């Protein structure tokens, strides 16, 4: 007999399974089959790498205290889980003896492959001057699909309930990333290895962390947050559905851009 929270989790997973199948069958994984196409993919995907950290930080803010004066967390176990996830995502081993955020690792991989980092750096620079994310995305001329995805993620991070943020994080990111990245790694295996060392490291590191550590942590954290509360599990289910739907829409937009680059030439 499943405990109530486990029953809720099984129900949620059953609800999102058709969307997961659609996502994992997406044509984007086989479409990234040349360096110009990889450039287009990375130049859009980098925005999703950035907004992931905003989602993580929203969880950390809700589950721990990041203010002064400090107050103890109301759920020590959940606080420990999110802090361990932040440690790995914000200051992971970089493969060269140092430590970087996964966003910075991705930027290094973009530079190594020759992808264009100017839009994402304009975005970051605008944020540093105090611009809103919406203004910074416009200033950076972010690709439309990436802009929509980032704004949807920030909407959840900034205004979502704790169950919604945890579910978007768990089922929109940690639960999906290993399988998505395995498909990308398989596609890259057909490419010459020159210039892909940092990107391959980034993908392999994510698969290792998310499947072995962060994914199970996120599931446990969500179960702690929602407990046996039906309303919280409904919020979590709705957020999980929305997060996967938004990822499919992002991949649709990236796929269209990838295919169009064959006609326009390498935009990088």
């Amino acid at each position: 007999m499943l405990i109530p929270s486990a029953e809720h989790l099984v129900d949620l997973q059953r609800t999102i399974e058709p969307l997961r199948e659609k996502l994992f069958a997406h044509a984007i994984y086989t479409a990234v089959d040349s360096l110009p196409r990889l450039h287009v993919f990375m130049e859009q995907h980098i925005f999703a790498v950035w907004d992931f950290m905003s989602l993580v930080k929203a969880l950390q803010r809700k589950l721990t205290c990041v203010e002064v004066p400090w107050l103890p967390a109301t759920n020590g176990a959940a606080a420990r889980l999110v802090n361990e996830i932040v440690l790995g995502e914000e200051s992971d081993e970089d493969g060269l003896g140092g430590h970087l955020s996964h966003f910075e690792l991705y930027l290094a991989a973009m530079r190594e492959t020759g992808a264009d980092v100017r839009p994402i750096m304009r975005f970051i620079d605008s944020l540093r001057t105090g611009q809103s994310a919406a203004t910074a995305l416009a200033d950076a001329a972010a690709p439309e699909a990436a802009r929509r995805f980032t704004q949807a993620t920030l909407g959840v991070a900034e205004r979502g309930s704790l169950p919604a943020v945890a579910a978007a994080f768990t089922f929109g990111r940690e639960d999906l990333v290993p399988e998505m990245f395995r498909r990308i790694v398989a596609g890259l295996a057909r490419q010459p290895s020159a210039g892909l060392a940092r990107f391959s490291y980034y993908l392999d590191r994510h698969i290792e962390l998310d499947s072995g550590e962060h994914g199970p942590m996120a599931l446990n954290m969500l179960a702690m947050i929602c407990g046996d509360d039906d309303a919280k599990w409904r919020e979590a289910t709705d957020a999980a559905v929305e997060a996967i739907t938004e990822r499919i829409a992002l991949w649709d937009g990236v796929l269209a851009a990838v295919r169009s680059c064959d006609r326009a030439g390498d935009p990088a």
Side-chain angles (χ1 to χ4, degrees):
M1 178 65 179
L2 294 172
I3 62 173
S5 61
E7 291 176 354
H8 282 101
L9 181 58
V10 170
D11 287 343
L12 187 158
Q13 291 172 320
R14 187 181 297 117
T15 297
I16 66 175
E17 186 56 31
L19 282 171
R20 283 170 50 86
E21 291 177 359
K22 182 178 180 180
L23 178 67
F24 293 146
H26 203 283
I28 188 63
Y29 308 114
T30 54
V32 183
D33 58 2
S34 68
L35 191 58
R37 285 183 164 204
L38 178 61
H39 288 168
V40 173
F41 175 87
M42 297 179 84
E43 289 156 14
Q44 301 224 25
H45 184 231
I46 184 62
F47 287 90
V49 177
W50 173 83
D51 72 26
F52 170 80
M53 283 307 304
S54 293
L55 202 58
V56 175
K57 286 298 184 178
L59 263 182
Q60 189 179 40
R61 185 175 61 194
K62 289 175 180 293
L63 289 171
T64 72
C65 183
V66 293
E67 307 295 337
V68 176
W70 176 84
L71 291 171
T74 57
N75 186 325
R80 173 59 180 259
L81 289 174
V82 73
N83 281 334
E84 287 193 19
I85 291 170
V86 169
L87 176 66
E89 299 290 347
E90 195 170 28
S91 54
D92 196 13
E93 298 172 6
D94 67 357
L96 299 173
H99 296 85
L100 290 172
S101 68
H102 286 175
F103 173 77
E104 292 165 301
L105 282 174
Y106 202 99
L107 278 177
M110 289 181 70
R111 292 186 173 105
E112 184 180 65
T113 68
D116 187 2
V117 301
R118 289 173 296 180
I120 188 63
M121 294 311 300
R122 284 198 298 268
F123 173 66
I124 295 298
D125 289 343
S126 291
L127 291 177
R128 290 190 191 281
T129 65
Q131 299 295 327
S132 68
T135 299
L137 286 166
D139 289 346
E144 180 64 19
R147 182 189 62 79
R148 290 197 306 267
F149 184 84
T150 298
Q151 289 182 319
T153 300
L154 292 178
V156 175
E158 293 171 351
R159 297 182 293 277
S161 66
L162 178 55
V165 175
F169 172 77
T170 301
F171 294 105
R173 304 298 178 117
E174 298 298 87
D175 189 52
L176 298 179
V177 164
E179 193 59 37
M180 288 193 303
F181 281 4
R182 286 189 185 101
R183 283 162 166 74
I184 295 173
V185 167
L188 289 177
R190 299 189 294 269
Q191 300 299 311
S193 59
L196 295 178
R198 300 301 287 157
F199 191 48
S200 295
Y201 176 82
Y202 170 88
L203 295 175
D204 290 341
R205 186 64 177 155
H206 253 76
I207 291 169
E208 176 187 358
L209 278 180
D210 291 347
S211 61
E213 299 179 26
H214 293 179
M217 286 179 182
L219 286 171
N220 287 336
M221 184 169 56
L222 181 66
M224 291 177 191
I225 289 167
C226 293
D228 300 328
D229 190 314
D230 291 345
K232 290 181 179 179
W233 281 107
R234 283 194 296 271
E235 290 179 27
T237 300
D238 290 345
V241 168
E242 181 180 355
I244 301 173
T245 300
E246 291 290 348
R247 174 69 70 164
I248 293 170
L250 173 64
W251 279 176
D252 288 344
V254 175
L255 180 63
V258 160
R259 287 172 171 169
S260 69
C261 86
D262 296 335
R263 297 187 296 272
D266 183 4

